[in-house]
Amino acid sequence: QVQLVESGGGLVQAGGSLRLTCVVSGRTFNTYVVGWFRRVPGKEREFVSAIRWTVSRTYYADSVKGRFTISRDNNKNTVYLQMNSLKPEDSAVYYCAADDRAKFLTDQYMDVTEYDYWGQGTQVTVSS
């Protein structure tokens, strides 16, 4: 089992920045990927970004490329999502997710069903 705890959400003005943190605990040695997803009321959870746990591979949704950066600190079992140039449409509950199954297609990293472990979420609100 893997446990995930997110933090760092809050209220920020458009154009501002936030850094989300996801602490991964439990059976982390099997972790293959950690991702960030977000959900707004009435919509499906959508992919934001993902990072492989042991190699330098990252993935981003088109809507956040160039504005968000995902990184990890394996010594701290922590994944970060630096969010810059925030827009009101970035407002959502952001979830950290992890999975220990190998993935071979980019689409798999973006698929919510490919992640078995989820955090509770942290609210991000961007005011206009």
Side-chain angles (χ1 to χ4, degrees), residues 7-118:
S7 63
L11 173 65
V12 65
Q13 288 188 330
S17 299
L18 282 174
R19 187 177 79 159
L20 304 184
T21 298
C22 173
V23 178
V24 185
S25 62
R27 295 171 59 87
T28 59
F29 57 87
N30 278 338
T31 301
Y32 188 84
V33 60
V34 176
W36 287 96
F37 291 78
R38 64 188 182 187
R39 183 168 63 187
V40 298
K43 291 190 175 182
E44 297 289 325
R45 201 170 295 195
E46 68 171 2
F47 171 77
V48 176
S49 183
I51 188 166
R52 287 275 303 273
W53 193 243
T54 58
V55 298
S56 297
R57 289 293 304 271
T58 58
Y59 305 84
Y60 294 95
D62 288 342
S63 59
V64 306
K65 279 181 183 176
R67 300 188 298 123
F68 292 10
T69 303
I70 192 170
S71 61
R72 56 175 164 72
D73 184 337
N74 291 79
N75 291 327
K76 296 182 179 180
N77 286 342
T78 300
V79 173
Y80 304 98
L81 185 68
Q82 178 67 43
M83 306 186 296
N84 298 328
S85 302
L86 283 162
K87 305 175 182 179
E89 51 263 43
D90 293 318
S91 297
V93 177
Y94 282 71
Y95 297 91
C96 181
D99 200 73
D100 53 14
R101 295 168 290 175
K103 304 185 191 314
F104 306 98
L105 303 174
T106 299
D107 284 352
Q108 289 180 283
Y109 291 91
M110 301 178 177
D111 186 345
V112 64
T113 65
E114 289 282 338
Y115 292 78
D116 274 348
Y117 307 104
W118 292 84

